[in-house]
Coordinates of all heavy atoms in Angstrom, one line a residue:
M1 N 0.8 -1.2 0.0 CA 0.0 0.0 0.0 C 0.9 1.2 0.0 O 1.9 1.3 0.7 CB -0.9 0.0 1.2 CG -1.8 1.2 1.3 SD -3.0 1.0 2.6 CE -4.0 -0.3 2.0
K2 N 0.5 2.2 -0.8 CA 1.3 3.4 -0.9 C 0.8 4.5 0.0 O -0.4 4.6 0.4 CB 1.3 4.0 -2.4 CG 1.9 3.0 -3.3 CD 2.4 3.7 -4.6 CE 3.2 2.7 -5.3 NZ 3.7 3.2 -6.6
C3 N 1.8 5.3 0.5 CA 1.4 6.4 1.4 C 0.5 7.4 0.7 O 0.8 7.8 -0.4 CB 2.7 7.0 1.8 SG 2.5 8.5 2.9
P4 N -0.6 7.7 1.4 CA -1.5 8.7 0.8 C -0.9 10.1 0.8 O -1.4 11.0 0.1 CB -2.7 8.7 1.8 CG -2.2 8.1 3.1 CD -1.1 7.2 2.7
T5 N 0.1 10.4 1.6 CA 0.8 11.7 1.6 C 1.8 11.8 0.5 O 1.8 12.8 -0.2 CB 1.4 11.9 3.0 OG1 0.4 11.7 4.0 CG2 2.0 13.3 3.1
C6 N 2.7 10.9 0.4 CA 3.8 11.0 -0.5 C 3.9 9.9 -1.6 O 4.8 9.9 -2.4 CB 5.1 11.2 0.2 SG 5.6 9.6 1.1
N7 N 3.0 8.9 -1.5 CA 3.0 7.8 -2.5 C 4.1 6.8 -2.4 O 4.4 6.1 -3.3 CB 2.9 8.4 -3.9 CG 1.9 7.6 -4.8 OD1 1.0 7.0 -4.3 ND2 2.2 7.5 -6.0
A8 N 4.9 6.9 -1.3 CA 6.0 6.0 -1.1 C 5.4 4.6 -0.6 O 4.3 4.6 -0.2 CB 7.0 6.5 -0.1
W9 N 6.2 3.6 -0.7 CA 5.8 2.3 -0.2 C 5.7 2.4 1.4 O 6.2 3.3 2.0 CB 6.9 1.2 -0.5 CG 8.2 1.6 -0.1 CD1 9.2 2.3 -0.9 CD2 8.9 1.5 1.2 NE1 10.3 2.5 -0.1 CE2 10.1 2.0 1.1 CE3 8.4 0.9 2.4 CZ2 11.0 2.0 2.2 CZ3 9.3 0.9 3.5 CH2 10.6 1.4 3.4
S10 N 4.9 1.5 1.9 CA 4.7 1.5 3.4 C 4.8 0.1 3.9 O 4.6 -0.9 3.2 CB 3.4 2.2 3.7 OG 2.3 1.4 3.3
R11 N 5.0 0.0 5.3 CA 4.9 -1.3 5.9 C 4.0 -1.2 7.1 O 3.7 -0.1 7.6 CB 6.3 -1.6 6.4 CG 6.8 -0.8 7.5 CD 8.3 -1.0 7.9 NE 8.7 -0.1 9.0 CZ 8.6 -0.4 10.3 NH1 8.1 -1.6 10.7 NH2 8.9 0.4 11.2
V12 N 3.5 -2.3 7.6 CA 2.6 -2.4 8.7 C 3.4 -2.2 10.0 O 4.4 -2.9 10.2 CB 1.8 -3.7 8.7 CG1 1.0 -3.8 10.0 CG2 1.0 -3.8 7.5
V13 N 3.1 -1.3 10.8 CA 3.7 -1.1 12.1 C 3.0 -2.0 13.2 O 3.7 -2.7 13.9 CB 3.8 0.4 12.5 CG1 4.5 0.5 13.8 CG2 4.4 1.2 11.4
T14 N 1.7 -1.8 13.3 CA 1.0 -2.6 14.2 C -0.4 -3.0 13.6 O -0.9 -2.3 12.7 CB 0.6 -1.9 15.5 OG1 -0.1 -0.7 15.2 CG2 1.9 -1.5 16.3
T15 N -0.9 -4.1 14.0 CA -2.2 -4.6 13.5 C -3.1 -4.9 14.7 O -2.7 -5.6 15.6 CB -2.0 -5.9 12.7 OG1 -1.1 -5.7 11.6 CG2 -3.4 -6.4 12.2
R16 N -4.2 -4.2 14.7 CA -5.2 -4.4 15.8 C -6.5 -4.5 15.0 O -7.1 -3.5 14.8 CB -5.2 -3.3 16.8 CG -5.8 -3.8 18.1 CD -5.5 -2.8 19.3 NE -4.1 -2.8 19.6 CZ -3.4 -1.7 19.9 NH1 -3.9 -0.5 19.8 NH2 -2.1 -1.8 20.2
M17 N -6.8 -5.7 14.5 CA -7.9 -5.8 13.5 C -9.1 -5.2 14.0 O -9.5 -5.3 15.1 CB -8.1 -7.3 13.2 CG -6.9 -8.0 12.6 SD -6.3 -7.2 11.1 CE -7.6 -7.6 10.0
P18 N -9.9 -4.5 13.1 CA -9.6 -4.5 11.7 C -8.6 -3.4 11.2 O -8.6 -3.0 10.0 CB -11.0 -4.3 11.1 CG -11.6 -3.4 12.1 CD -11.1 -3.8 13.4
R19 N -7.9 -2.8 12.2 CA -7.1 -1.6 11.8 C -5.6 -2.0 11.7 O -5.1 -2.8 12.5 CB -7.3 -0.5 12.8 CG -8.6 0.1 12.6 CD -8.7 1.4 13.3 NE -10.0 2.0 13.0 CZ -10.5 3.0 13.7 NH1 -9.8 3.6 14.7 NH2 -11.7 3.5 13.4
R20 N -4.9 -1.3 10.8 CA -3.5 -1.5 10.7 C -2.9 -0.1 10.7 O -3.4 0.8 10.1 CB -3.1 -2.1 9.4 CG -3.4 -3.6 9.3 CD -2.6 -4.2 8.3 NE -2.8 -5.7 8.3 CZ -3.7 -6.3 7.5 NH1 -4.4 -5.5 6.6 NH2 -3.9 -7.5 7.5
V21 N -1.8 0.1 11.5 CA -1.1 1.3 11.4 C 0.1 1.0 10.5 O 0.8 0.0 10.6 CB -0.5 1.8 12.8 CG1 0.3 3.0 12.6 CG2 -1.7 2.0 13.7
R22 N 0.3 1.9 9.5 CA 1.3 1.7 8.5 C 2.3 2.9 8.5 O 1.9 4.0 8.9 CB 0.7 1.5 7.1 CG -0.3 0.4 7.0 CD -0.7 0.2 5.6 NE 0.5 -0.3 4.8 CZ 0.7 -1.5 4.4 NH1 -0.1 -2.5 4.8 NH2 1.8 -1.8 3.7
E23 N 3.5 2.6 8.1 CA 4.5 3.7 8.1 C 5.2 3.6 6.7 O 5.6 2.6 6.3 CB 5.5 3.5 9.2 CG 6.5 4.6 9.4 CD 7.4 4.4 10.5 OE1 8.4 3.6 10.3 OE2 7.2 4.9 11.6
C24 N 5.2 4.8 6.1 CA 5.8 4.8 4.7 C 7.3 5.0 4.8 O 7.9 5.2 5.9 CB 5.2 5.9 3.9 SG 5.9 7.5 4.1
G25 N 8.0 4.9 3.6 CA 9.4 5.1 3.5 C 9.9 6.4 4.0 O 11.1 6.6 4.4
N26 N 9.0 7.4 4.1 CA 9.3 8.8 4.6 C 8.8 9.0 6.0 O 8.7 10.2 6.4 CB 8.8 9.8 3.6 CG 9.5 9.7 2.2 OD1 10.7 9.6 2.2 ND2 8.7 9.7 1.2
L27 N 8.4 7.9 6.6 CA 8.0 7.9 8.0 C 6.7 8.6 8.3 O 6.4 9.0 9.5 CB 9.1 8.5 8.9 CG 10.5 7.9 8.8 CD1 11.5 8.6 9.8 CD2 10.4 6.4 9.1
H28 N 5.8 8.8 7.3 CA 4.5 9.2 7.6 C 3.7 8.0 8.1 O 3.9 6.9 7.6 CB 3.8 9.7 6.3 CG 4.4 10.8 5.6 ND1 4.9 10.7 4.3 CD2 4.8 12.0 6.0 CE1 5.4 11.9 4.0 NE2 5.4 12.7 5.0
R29 N 2.9 8.2 9.1 CA 2.1 7.1 9.6 C 0.6 7.3 9.2 O 0.1 8.4 9.2 CB 2.2 7.0 11.2 CG 3.5 6.5 11.6 CD 3.5 5.9 12.9 NE 4.8 5.3 13.2 CZ 5.0 4.4 14.2 NH1 4.1 4.2 15.1 NH2 6.2 3.9 14.3
F30 N 0.0 6.2 8.8 CA -1.5 6.3 8.5 C -2.1 5.0 8.9 O -1.4 4.0 9.1 CB -1.7 6.7 7.0 CG -1.0 5.7 6.0 CD1 -1.8 4.8 5.4 CD2 0.3 5.9 5.7 CE1 -1.2 3.9 4.5 CE2 0.9 5.0 4.8 CZ 0.2 4.1 4.2
T31 N -3.4 5.0 9.0 CA -4.2 3.9 9.5 C -5.1 3.3 8.4 O -5.7 4.1 7.7 CB -5.1 4.2 10.7 OG1 -4.2 4.8 11.7 CG2 -5.8 3.0 11.2
T32 N -5.1 2.0 8.2 CA -6.0 1.4 7.2 C -7.0 0.5 8.0 O -6.7 0.1 9.1 CB -5.2 0.6 6.2 OG1 -4.5 -0.4 6.8 CG2 -4.3 1.5 5.4
E33 N -8.1 0.3 7.4 CA -9.1 -0.5 8.0 C -9.7 -1.5 7.0 O -9.9 -1.1 5.9 CB -10.2 0.5 8.5 CG -11.2 -0.2 9.4 CD -12.0 0.8 10.3 OE1 -11.5 1.9 10.5 OE2 -13.1 0.4 10.6
E34 N -9.9 -2.7 7.5 CA -10.5 -3.7 6.6 C -12.0 -3.5 6.6 O -12.6 -3.3 7.6 CB -10.2 -5.1 7.2 CG -8.7 -5.4 7.3 CD -8.3 -6.5 6.3 OE1 -9.1 -7.4 6.0 OE2 -7.2 -6.4 5.8
V35 N -12.5 -3.5 5.4 CA -14.0 -3.4 5.3 C -14.5 -4.5 4.4 O -13.9 -5.0 3.5 CB -14.4 -2.0 4.7 CG1 -14.1 -0.9 5.7 CG2 -13.7 -1.8 3.4
L36 N -15.7 -4.9 4.8 CA -16.4 -5.9 4.0 C -17.1 -5.2 2.8 O -17.7 -4.2 2.9 CB -17.5 -6.6 4.8 CG -17.0 -7.7 5.7 CD1 -18.2 -8.1 6.6 CD2 -16.5 -8.8 4.9
V37 N -16.9 -5.8 1.6 CA -17.5 -5.2 0.4 C -18.3 -6.3 -0.3 O -18.0 -7.5 -0.1 CB -16.5 -4.6 -0.6 CG1 -15.9 -3.3 0.0 CG2 -15.4 -5.6 -0.9
H38 N -19.2 -6.0 -1.1 CA -20.2 -7.0 -1.6 C -20.2 -7.1 -3.1 O -20.6 -8.2 -3.6 CB -21.6 -6.7 -1.1 CG -21.6 -6.7 0.4 ND1 -21.6 -7.8 1.2 CD2 -21.7 -5.6 1.3 CE1 -21.6 -7.5 2.5 NE2 -21.7 -6.2 2.6
T39 N -19.8 -6.1 -3.8 CA -19.9 -6.3 -5.3 C -18.7 -7.0 -5.8 O -17.7 -7.1 -5.2 CB -20.0 -4.9 -6.0 OG1 -18.7 -4.3 -5.9 CG2 -21.1 -4.0 -5.3
H40 N -18.9 -7.6 -6.9 CA -17.9 -8.4 -7.6 C -16.7 -7.5 -7.9 O -15.5 -7.9 -7.6 CB -18.4 -9.0 -8.9 CG -17.3 -9.8 -9.6 ND1 -16.9 -11.0 -9.2 CD2 -16.7 -9.5 -10.7 CE1 -15.9 -11.4 -10.0 NE2 -15.8 -10.5 -10.9
D41 N -16.9 -6.4 -8.4 CA -15.8 -5.5 -8.8 C -15.0 -5.1 -7.5 O -13.8 -5.0 -7.6 CB -16.3 -4.2 -9.5 CG -16.6 -4.5 -10.9 OD1 -16.3 -5.6 -11.4 OD2 -17.2 -3.6 -11.6
D42 N -15.7 -4.8 -6.5 CA -15.0 -4.4 -5.2 C -14.2 -5.6 -4.7 O -13.1 -5.4 -4.2 CB -16.0 -4.0 -4.2 CG -16.5 -2.5 -4.4 OD1 -15.9 -1.9 -5.4 OD2 -17.3 -2.1 -3.7
R43 N -14.7 -6.8 -4.8 CA -14.0 -7.9 -4.3 C -12.7 -8.1 -5.1 O -11.7 -8.4 -4.6 CB -14.8 -9.2 -4.4 CG -15.6 -9.4 -3.1 CD -15.9 -10.9 -2.9 NE -16.7 -11.5 -4.0 CZ -18.0 -11.4 -4.1 NH1 -18.7 -10.9 -3.1 NH2 -18.6 -12.0 -5.1
K44 N -12.9 -7.9 -6.4 CA -11.7 -8.1 -7.3 C -10.7 -7.0 -7.0 O -9.5 -7.3 -6.9 CB -12.2 -7.9 -8.8 CG -11.1 -8.3 -9.8 CD -11.7 -8.5 -11.1 CE -10.6 -8.7 -12.2 NZ -10.6 -7.7 -13.2
K45 N -11.1 -5.8 -6.7 CA -10.2 -4.8 -6.4 C -9.5 -5.1 -5.0 O -8.3 -4.8 -4.9 CB -11.0 -3.4 -6.3 CG -10.0 -2.3 -6.1 CD -10.7 -0.9 -6.1 CE -9.8 0.2 -5.9 NZ -8.8 0.0 -4.8
E46 N -10.3 -5.5 -4.1 CA -9.8 -5.9 -2.8 C -8.7 -6.9 -2.9 O -7.6 -6.9 -2.3 CB -10.9 -6.4 -1.9 CG -10.4 -6.5 -0.4 CD -11.5 -7.0 0.5 OE1 -11.9 -8.2 0.3 OE2 -12.0 -6.3 1.3
Q47 N -9.0 -7.9 -3.8 CA -8.0 -9.0 -4.0 C -6.7 -8.4 -4.6 O -5.6 -8.7 -4.2 CB -8.6 -10.0 -5.0 CG -7.7 -11.2 -5.3 CD -7.7 -12.2 -4.2 OE1 -8.1 -11.9 -3.1 NE2 -7.2 -13.4 -4.4
E48 N -6.9 -7.5 -5.6 CA -5.7 -6.8 -6.2 C -4.9 -6.0 -5.2 O -3.7 -6.0 -5.2 CB -6.1 -6.0 -7.4 CG -6.5 -6.8 -8.6 CD -7.0 -6.0 -9.7 OE1 -7.1 -4.8 -9.6 OE2 -7.4 -6.6 -10.8
D49 N -5.7 -5.3 -4.3 CA -5.1 -4.5 -3.3 C -4.3 -5.4 -2.3 O -3.2 -5.0 -1.9 CB -6.1 -3.7 -2.5 CG -6.7 -2.5 -3.3 OD1 -6.1 -2.2 -4.3 OD2 -7.7 -2.0 -2.8
K50 N -4.8 -6.5 -2.0 CA -4.2 -7.4 -1.1 C -2.9 -8.0 -1.8 O -1.8 -8.1 -1.1 CB -5.1 -8.6 -0.8 CG -4.6 -9.5 0.3 CD -4.6 -8.9 1.6 CE -3.9 -9.8 2.7 NZ -3.7 -9.0 3.9
Q51 N -3.0 -8.4 -3.0 CA -1.9 -8.9 -3.7 C -0.8 -7.8 -3.8 O 0.4 -8.1 -3.7 CB -2.3 -9.3 -5.2 CG -3.1 -10.5 -5.2 CD -3.6 -10.9 -6.5 OE1 -3.3 -10.2 -7.5 NE2 -4.4 -12.0 -6.6
R52 N -1.2 -6.6 -4.0 CA -0.3 -5.5 -4.1 C 0.4 -5.3 -2.8 O 1.6 -5.1 -2.7 CB -1.0 -4.2 -4.6 CG 0.0 -3.0 -4.8 CD -0.7 -1.8 -5.4 NE -1.1 -2.0 -6.8 CZ -2.4 -2.1 -7.2 NH1 -3.4 -2.0 -6.4 NH2 -2.6 -2.3 -8.5
E53 N -0.4 -5.4 -1.7 CA 0.2 -5.3 -0.4 C 1.2 -6.3 -0.1 O 2.3 -6.1 0.4 CB -0.9 -5.4 0.7 CG -0.4 -5.2 2.1 CD -1.5 -5.4 3.1 OE1 -2.7 -5.1 2.9 OE2 -1.2 -6.0 4.2
V54 N 0.9 -7.6 -0.5 CA 1.9 -8.7 -0.3 C 3.1 -8.4 -1.2 O 4.3 -8.5 -0.7 CB 1.3 -10.0 -0.7 CG1 2.3 -11.1 -0.8 CG2 0.1 -10.4 0.2
A55 N 2.9 -7.9 -2.4 CA 4.0 -7.6 -3.3 C 4.9 -6.5 -2.7 O 6.2 -6.6 -2.9 CB 3.5 -7.2 -4.6
M56 N 4.3 -5.6 -2.0 CA 5.1 -4.4 -1.4 C 5.6 -4.7 0.0 O 6.4 -3.9 0.5 CB 4.2 -3.2 -1.4 CG 3.6 -2.7 -2.7 SD 4.8 -2.5 -4.0 CE 5.5 -0.9 -3.5
A57 N 5.3 -5.8 0.6 CA 5.7 -6.1 1.9 C 7.2 -6.3 2.0 O 7.8 -6.9 1.1 CB 5.0 -7.4 2.4
E58 N 7.8 -5.9 3.1 CA 9.2 -6.0 3.3 C 9.6 -7.4 3.7 O 8.8 -8.1 4.3 CB 9.6 -5.0 4.4 CG 9.5 -3.6 4.0 CD 10.3 -3.1 2.9 OE1 11.6 -3.2 3.0 OE2 9.8 -2.8 1.8
G59 N 10.8 -7.8 3.4 CA 11.3 -9.1 3.8 C 11.5 -10.0 2.6 O 11.3 -9.7 1.5
T60 N 12.0 -11.2 3.0 CA 12.3 -12.2 1.9 C 11.0 -12.8 1.4 O 9.9 -12.7 2.1 CB 13.2 -13.4 2.4 OG1 12.4 -14.1 3.4 CG2 14.5 -12.9 3.0
I61 N 11.0 -13.4 0.2 CA 9.8 -14.0 -0.3 C 9.2 -15.0 0.6 O 8.0 -15.1 0.8 CB 10.1 -14.6 -1.7 CG1 10.3 -13.4 -2.7 CG2 9.0 -15.5 -2.2 CD1 10.8 -13.9 -4.1
Q62 N 10.1 -15.8 1.2 CA 9.7 -16.8 2.2 C 9.0 -16.2 3.4 O 7.9 -16.6 3.8 CB 10.9 -17.7 2.6 CG 10.5 -18.9 3.5 CD 9.6 -19.9 2.7 OE1 10.1 -20.4 1.7 NE2 8.4 -20.1 3.1
D63 N 9.6 -15.1 3.9 CA 9.0 -14.4 5.1 C 7.6 -13.9 4.8 O 6.7 -14.1 5.6 CB 9.9 -13.2 5.5 CG 11.1 -13.7 6.3 OD1 11.2 -14.9 6.7 OD2 12.0 -12.8 6.4
V64 N 7.5 -13.3 3.6 CA 6.3 -12.6 3.3 C 5.2 -13.7 3.0 O 4.0 -13.6 3.4 CB 6.5 -11.7 2.0 CG1 5.1 -11.2 1.5 CG2 7.4 -10.6 2.3
A65 N 5.6 -14.8 2.4 CA 4.7 -15.9 2.1 C 4.1 -16.5 3.4 O 2.9 -16.7 3.5 CB 5.4 -17.0 1.3
N66 N 5.0 -16.7 4.4 CA 4.6 -17.2 5.7 C 3.6 -16.2 6.4 O 2.6 -16.6 6.9 CB 5.8 -17.4 6.6 CG 6.7 -18.6 6.1 OD1 6.2 -19.4 5.3 ND2 7.9 -18.7 6.6
H67 N 4.0 -14.9 6.3 CA 3.2 -13.9 7.0 C 1.8 -13.8 6.5 O 0.8 -13.7 7.2 CB 3.9 -12.6 6.9 CG 3.2 -11.5 7.6 ND1 3.3 -11.3 9.0 CD2 2.5 -10.4 7.2 CE1 2.6 -10.3 9.3 NE2 2.1 -9.7 8.2
Y68 N 1.7 -13.9 5.2 CA 0.4 -13.7 4.5 C -0.3 -15.0 4.2 O -1.4 -15.1 3.7 CB 0.5 -12.9 3.3 CG 0.7 -11.4 3.5 CD1 2.0 -10.9 3.4 CD2 -0.3 -10.6 3.8 CE1 2.3 -9.6 3.7 CE2 0.0 -9.2 4.1 CZ 1.2 -8.7 4.0 OH 1.5 -7.4 4.2
N69 N 0.4 -16.1 4.6 CA -0.2 -17.5 4.3 C -0.5 -17.7 2.9 O -1.5 -18.3 2.5 CB -1.5 -17.6 5.2 CG -1.6 -19.0 5.8 OD1 -0.6 -19.7 5.8 ND2 -2.7 -19.3 6.3
V70 N 0.4 -17.3 2.0 CA 0.3 -17.6 0.6 C 1.5 -18.3 0.1 O 2.6 -18.4 0.8 CB 0.1 -16.3 -0.2 CG1 -1.3 -15.6 0.1 CG2 1.2 -15.3 0.0
D71 N 1.4 -18.8 -1.1 CA 2.5 -19.6 -1.7 C 3.7 -18.6 -2.1 O 3.4 -17.5 -2.5 CB 2.0 -20.3 -3.0 CG 2.9 -21.4 -3.4 OD1 3.9 -21.2 -4.0 OD2 2.6 -22.6 -3.0
T72 N 4.9 -19.1 -2.0 CA 6.1 -18.3 -2.4 C 6.0 -17.9 -3.9 O 6.4 -16.9 -4.3 CB 7.4 -19.0 -2.1 OG1 7.3 -20.3 -2.7 CG2 7.7 -19.1 -0.6
K73 N 5.4 -18.8 -4.7 CA 5.2 -18.6 -6.1 C 4.3 -17.4 -6.3 O 4.6 -16.6 -7.3 CB 4.7 -19.8 -6.8 CG 5.7 -20.8 -7.3 CD 5.1 -21.9 -8.1 CE 5.3 -23.2 -7.4 NZ 4.3 -24.2 -7.5
S74 N 3.3 -17.3 -5.5 CA 2.4 -16.1 -5.6 C 3.1 -14.8 -5.3 O 3.0 -13.8 -6.0 CB 1.2 -16.3 -4.7 OG 0.5 -17.5 -5.0
V75 N 3.9 -14.9 -4.2 CA 4.6 -13.7 -3.8 C 5.5 -13.2 -4.9 O 5.6 -12.0 -5.3 CB 5.4 -13.9 -2.5 CG1 6.2 -12.7 -2.1 CG2 4.5 -14.3 -1.4
R76 N 6.2 -14.2 -5.5 CA 7.2 -13.9 -6.6 C 6.4 -13.3 -7.8 O 6.9 -12.3 -8.3 CB 7.9 -15.1 -7.0 CG 9.2 -14.8 -7.7 CD 10.1 -16.1 -7.9 NE 10.7 -16.5 -6.7 CZ 10.6 -17.7 -6.1 NH1 9.8 -18.6 -6.6 NH2 11.2 -18.0 -5.0
A77 N 5.3 -13.9 -8.1 CA 4.5 -13.4 -9.3 C 4.0 -12.0 -9.0 O 4.0 -11.1 -9.9 CB 3.4 -14.4 -9.6
W78 N 3.5 -11.8 -7.8 CA 2.9 -10.5 -7.5 C 4.0 -9.4 -7.4 O 3.7 -8.2 -7.7 CB 2.1 -10.5 -6.2 CG 0.9 -11.5 -6.3 CD1 0.3 -11.8 -7.4 CD2 0.3 -12.1 -5.2 NE1 -0.8 -12.7 -7.1 CE2 -0.8 -12.9 -5.7 CE3 0.5 -12.2 -3.8 CZ2 -1.6 -13.7 -5.0 CZ3 -0.4 -13.0 -3.0 CH2 -1.4 -13.7 -3.6
R79 N 5.1 -9.8 -6.9 CA 6.2 -8.8 -6.8 C 6.6 -8.3 -8.2 O 6.8 -7.2 -8.5 CB 7.5 -9.4 -6.2 CG 7.3 -9.4 -4.6 CD 8.6 -9.7 -4.0 NE 8.5 -9.6 -2.5 CZ 9.5 -9.7 -1.7 NH1 10.7 -9.9 -2.1 NH2 9.4 -9.5 -0.4
K80 N 6.6 -9.3 -9.1 CA 6.9 -9.0 -10.5 C 5.9 -8.1 -11.1 O 6.1 -7.2 -11.9 CB 7.0 -10.3 -11.3 CG 7.8 -10.2 -12.6 CD 8.0 -11.5 -13.3 CE 9.2 -12.3 -12.8 NZ 9.4 -13.5 -13.5
K81 N 4.6 -8.4 -10.8 CA 3.5 -7.6 -11.3 C 3.3 -6.2 -10.7 O 3.1 -5.3 -11.5 CB 2.2 -8.4 -11.0 CG 0.9 -7.8 -11.7 CD -0.2 -8.8 -11.5 CE -1.5 -8.2 -12.0 NZ -2.7 -9.0 -11.7
Y82 N 3.5 -6.1 -9.4 CA 3.2 -4.8 -8.8 C 4.4 -4.0 -8.4 O 4.2 -2.8 -8.2 CB 2.4 -5.1 -7.5 CG 1.0 -5.7 -7.8 CD1 0.7 -7.0 -7.5 CD2 0.0 -4.9 -8.5 CE1 -0.6 -7.5 -7.7 CE2 -1.2 -5.4 -8.7 CZ -1.5 -6.7 -8.4 OH -2.7 -7.2 -8.6
R83 N 5.5 -4.6 -8.2 CA 6.7 -3.8 -7.7 C 7.3 -3.0 -8.9 O 8.0 -3.6 -9.7 CB 7.7 -4.6 -7.1 CG 7.4 -4.9 -5.6 CD 8.7 -5.3 -4.9 NE 8.4 -5.4 -3.5 CZ 9.3 -5.6 -2.5 NH1 10.6 -5.8 -2.9 NH2 9.0 -5.7 -1.3
T84 N 7.0 -1.8 -9.0 CA 7.5 -1.0 -10.2 C 8.7 -0.2 -9.7 O 9.6 0.1 -10.5 CB 6.5 -0.1 -10.7 OG1 5.9 0.7 -9.7 CG2 5.4 -0.9 -11.4
T85 N 8.8 0.1 -8.4 CA 9.9 0.9 -8.0 C 10.6 0.2 -6.8 O 9.9 -0.5 -6.0 CB 9.5 2.3 -7.5 OG1 8.5 2.2 -6.5 CG2 9.0 3.1 -8.6
E86 N 11.8 0.3 -6.6 CA 12.5 -0.3 -5.5 C 13.9 0.2 -5.4 O 14.6 0.2 -6.4 CB 12.5 -1.8 -5.5 CG 13.1 -2.5 -4.3 CD 12.1 -2.2 -3.1 OE1 11.0 -1.8 -3.2 OE2 12.6 -2.5 -1.9
Ligands
LIG101 ZN1 4.7 9.2 3.1

């Protein structure tokens, strides 16, 4: 997830569901909240947002895969798809 202030990458600082505090590369802090959505398009977007979040997560592919409970192949594919800057 990109910082709403400066558009830099961000990482999760704390998670207290459904809220997450995130901190961007320029140390801006912001809070995100998980929401339930019902339309197909929104679900698809949520899925893409989640994949993007995994792709942008800090750490090795194995660490990120463990953290998000997804396959390392997925992490690798999503990093290729979503990571445009690094
Ligand atoms: Zn920022």
Side-chain angles (χ1 to χ4, degrees):
M1 182 173 290
K2 295 202 170 180
C3 175
T5 304
C6 67
N7 219 33
W9 53 269
S10 67
R11 68 187 180 91
V12 175
V13 181
T14 59
T15 302
R16 199 166 293 137
M17 295 307 286
R19 290 195 176 166
R20 290 199 175 92
V21 176
R22 305 187 63 98
E23 187 178 81
C24 86
N26 296 311
L27 306 181
H28 301 122
R29 288 200 172 195
F30 56 102
T31 303
T32 61
E33 192 162 333
E34 301 251 325
V35 288
L36 280 173
V37 290
H38 301 286
T39 70
H40 177 73
D41 281 353
D42 281 356
R43 270 207 301 274
K44 191 165 172 239
K45 187 180 180 307
E46 189 180 68
Q47 183 77 346
E48 285 176 1
D49 285 348
K50 186 74 187 168
Q51 291 176 358
R52 187 173 288 113
E53 182 185 322
V54 172
M56 301 306 282
E58 295 296 298
T60 66
I61 285 172
Q62 186 66 59
D63 284 347
V64 173
N66 289 346
H67 182 76
Y68 288 97
N69 221 12
V70 293
D71 199 280
T72 52
K73 273 188 245 145
S74 302
V75 177
R76 199 170 286 122
W78 296 336
R79 280 191 174 189
K80 200 175 275 182
K81 185 174 176 186
Y82 294 112
R83 275 201 175 187
T84 52
T85 56
E86 187 66 14

